[in-house]
Amino acid sequence: MSQEVTVGEAVVKDQAERTQAQDRTETVVVGSGFGALAAAKKLAKAGRPFVLISETTEHLFQPLLYQVATGVLSAGEIAPSIRAILQDYPKADVRLGRVVDVDADAKELVYEAAGERHTLGYDNLVAATGARQSYFGRDEFAKVTYALKTVNDAKRLRDQIVRCFEEAHTTTDPERAKNLLSFIVIGAGATGVELAGQIKELASRYFEQSMRGITAEDVTVTLVEGAGVAMPAYGGKLSEYTKTSLEKSGVEVVLNTLVTDIDAHGATLKAHGEAEGVRRTAETVIWSAGVQANDFAGVLAKATGCDTDRAGRLLVNPDLTVGGRADIFAVGDMTSLNNLPGQSPVAMQGGRHVAATILGKKKRGTPFKFRDKGSMAIINRFRAVTKVKNIELTGAFAWVLWLAVHMVYLVGFRNRYVAIMSWFGSFVGHRRPHFHYAQEPQRIAGPPAVDEKASADEPEALRTEVITSEVPVEKKETVTVS
């Protein structure tokens, strides 16, 4: 009987091993961002089988995350389902999971899904998992700041912004109201500039209109940058225009300044050359100062022997292969090559280059060449900057161009239509259609209950007499107890 069970178990084990060995595909794409989707769509259109594995089910249009955080767009408008995008391609298989190991020699990877581990074989592997926030060795800052890298980050920041305005509207403590309406944005790159401009615009064009007693002057937005200019990637007159535009809208731009400490109620700012920092109180501190590669970059580096930079990005070969492997590629923000910027056009072109190599349309070993089509960033309503080679644009024309370009890159006709309507209502009108907030139920301590029966039974000498009196409001004084 024991022998029969042993034989039966061996048969089951053998079947499981054969099934696992059969789980193999031509190409595995890890990630669902710009680079991953560009590679996947090119493979799909060519009719080649592939498996796309991602920790999230959506394709995130990250440049518009700040508009989710400030109520202009909903998360669904900038994060369509990756399955829906690829559903018309029968050889595309999308799986929700997290890749935790790669065996480069065996051409297999291990991913976790629904509490189980799975092994998947491949002929080619394309990594495009992007980047996450970097705190430059001060990881404790993550607990007391707000980042903006994921949809959940944007929703969390949106709830915080609305909560601050709602509580400032009802509090009777002027100092608390001031802190609630103070915002510090760390990092004057595109994300930091866009957030600072939008928060100040929210104060004047939305909350001032809808909340009695709150004005734009009550709201303080401070943008902090360690470099000497705003948006250092642009430089010159575009950086100067950015700083001037923000200051005209009421944003305080603090340059040549580092953040030395952050807690739940503010930050300490230290200017270059100063011996001591200055404490700034604020209920909301937003961190957009740096990025580093996601954890999968470390997994690939270990599996292939590829070197990484200080931010953990893979130092890929000119043809975007990783280490000494001709069958493993990496694109986008998780890589470093020729000082290319961490922007979506680089990731998309890299994804298409890799797919063309896999399809045989490009010879193996062909170096990746990035075609710079320019960069742009919005500052606030009717103000943006655009740089295309030697052509620099600012103001309303650059702003309209920014809207047009981002509309083109939004995936799906419905997404474009809804985004246009939301932009019209927010930028031309005064609406923020996606601000929703409900306060959490809280227990508020009341006066202690008095047991009248027990009090009546007490001897008269032990009874406590409660004396109440009315004090005119104008005679109240603030008392500090230490």
Side-chain angles (χ1 to χ4, degrees):
M1 185 70 176
S2 176
Q3 185 178 1
E4 291 179 4
V5 173
T6 303
V7 172
E9 289 177 348
V11 171
V12 171
K13 183 178 180 181
D14 180 63
Q15 289 177 342
E17 289 178 349
R18 280 186 294 167
T19 302
Q20 190 179 61
Q22 291 170 355
D23 194 7
R24 190 174 191 87
T25 187
E26 188 173 296
T27 301
V28 175
V29 180
V30 184
S32 60
F34 287 104
L37 182 60
K41 289 180 74 173
K42 197 169 184 68
L43 293 171
K45 290 177 180 178
R48 301 289 280 271
F50 68 90
V51 174
L52 186 147
I53 303 175
S54 175
E55 295 184 51
T56 177
T57 58
E58 75 263 355
H59 164 63
L60 176 60
F61 196 95
Q62 200 171 74
L64 293 179
L65 264 180
Y66 79 95
Q67 294 199 5
V68 175
T70 53
V72 178
L73 299 174
S74 71
E77 290 161 24
I78 69 163
S81 167
I82 191 74
R83 295 183 187 278
I85 297 171
L86 298 173
Q87 67 182 357
D88 294 332
Y89 302 101
K91 294 188 177 181
D93 182 6
V94 178
R95 302 183 187 181
L96 181 65
R98 178 173 178 265
V99 180
V100 294
D101 194 18
V102 174
D103 187 335
D105 293 330
K107 292 191 174 184
E108 292 179 342
L109 59 79
V110 177
Y111 69 96
E112 296 177 346
E116 298 180 355
R117 284 200 165 193
H118 307 270
T119 300
L120 176 63
Y122 62 84
D123 295 329
N124 299 284
L125 174 62
V126 182
T129 55
R132 57 186 173 86
Q133 207 71 61
S134 171
Y135 298 91
F136 306 113
R138 300 293 300 272
D139 291 344
E140 67 272 18
F141 287 172
K143 299 178 181 180
V144 290
T145 61
Y146 292 82
L148 198 60
K149 281 294 178 185
T150 67
V151 169
N152 286 338
D153 287 343
K155 291 179 178 178
R156 179 170 171 258
L157 178 55
R158 182 185 62 194
D159 289 346
Q160 171 68 2
I161 292 172
V162 180
R163 181 188 72 82
C164 286
F165 278 93
E166 291 290 353
E167 292 187 10
H169 184 227
T170 55
T171 185
T172 56
D173 183 350
E175 191 63 26
R176 173 158 173 74
K178 179 182 177 181
N179 292 341
L180 284 165
L181 297 179
S182 295
F183 300 83
I184 298 175
V185 182
I186 301 169
T191 299
V193 166
E194 290 164 343
L195 271 173
Q198 274 297 304
I199 292 173
K200 193 62 180 178
E201 192 168 300
L202 274 174
S204 61
R205 293 184 49 77
Y206 178 74
F207 287 112
E208 188 175 76
Q209 307 292 326
S210 58
M211 286 186 174
R212 303 296 176 261
I214 290 182
T215 66
E217 287 71 26
D218 297 327
V219 180
T220 301
V221 180
T222 304
L223 179 63
V224 184
E225 170 59 43
V229 295
M231 283 209 286
Y234 289 82
K237 74 172 188 178
L238 295 185
S239 290
E240 188 58 36
Y241 175 82
T242 299
K243 179 176 181 292
T244 302
S245 298
L246 287 171
E247 290 176 338
K248 284 182 178 178
S249 68
V251 175
E252 180 187 6
V253 182
V254 181
L255 304 175
N256 291 311
T257 301
L258 300 177
V259 177
T260 59
D261 194 29
I262 306 175
D263 58 39
H265 302 290
T268 301
L269 312 181
K270 182 175 176 293
H272 294 333
E274 295 292 330
E276 296 183 359
V278 177
R279 168 76 176 175
R280 294 285 189 99
T281 57
E283 198 76 8
T284 307
V285 180
I286 304 167
W287 185 275
S288 62
V291 296
Q292 64 185 39
N294 276 323
D295 294 341
F296 186 56
V299 173
L300 269 189
K302 181 179 178 182
T304 62
C306 181
D307 292 329
T308 60
D309 64 8
R310 289 188 300 174
R313 296 176 298 184
L314 296 166
L315 300 177
V316 294
N317 301 314
D319 61 348
L320 301 181
T321 55
V322 180
R325 307 296 308 188
D327 54 347
I328 299 179
F329 305 84
V331 300
D333 292 352
M334 68 183 299
T335 68
S336 177
L337 177 66
N338 300 331
N339 293 317
L340 292 174
Q343 297 175 349
S344 54
V346 178
M348 288 188 289
Q349 291 184 36
R352 287 192 284 266
H353 174 90
V354 167
T357 301
I358 293 172
L359 294 171
K361 295 182 178 180
K362 287 184 183 291
K363 186 179 178 180
R364 293 269 176 172
T366 301
F368 169 59
K369 293 182 179 179
F370 172 61
R371 291 178 56 199
D372 189 358
K373 299 179 181 179
S375 54
M376 54 181 58
I378 197 170
I379 302 170
N380 48 35
R381 192 172 72 115
F382 302 146
R383 290 189 180 95
V385 293
T386 299
K387 186 175 184 179
V388 183
K389 295 184 178 180
N390 295 326
I391 302 174
E392 296 181 344
L393 303 172
T394 61
F397 182 75
W399 183 78
V400 172
L401 187 61
W402 180 94
L403 291 178
V405 169
H406 283 72
M407 181 185 67
V408 169
Y409 280 108
L410 275 175
V411 178
F413 172 78
R414 181 183 179 279
N415 288 24
R416 295 189 184 105
Y417 172 78
V418 175
I420 290 172
M421 297 304 295
S422 296
W423 285 339
F424 184 84
S426 299
F427 296 139
V428 179
H430 298 270
R431 295 187 297 110
R432 280 295 191 273
H434 303 290
F435 267 157
H436 311 287
Y437 177 74
Q439 69 175 10
E440 295 293 330
Q442 298 180 10
R443 291 180 63 90
I444 300 176
V450 178
D451 190 337
E452 295 181 359
K453 182 178 179 181
S455 178
D457 294 337
E458 290 179 356
E460 186 174 349
L462 297 178
R463 291 180 189 174
T464 301
E465 184 179 1
V466 179
I467 303 175
T468 61
S469 61
E470 294 184 0
V471 180
V473 173
E474 62 271 16
K475 291 185 181 180
K476 286 185 178 180
E477 296 180 356
T478 302
V479 179
T480 303
V481 181
S482 61

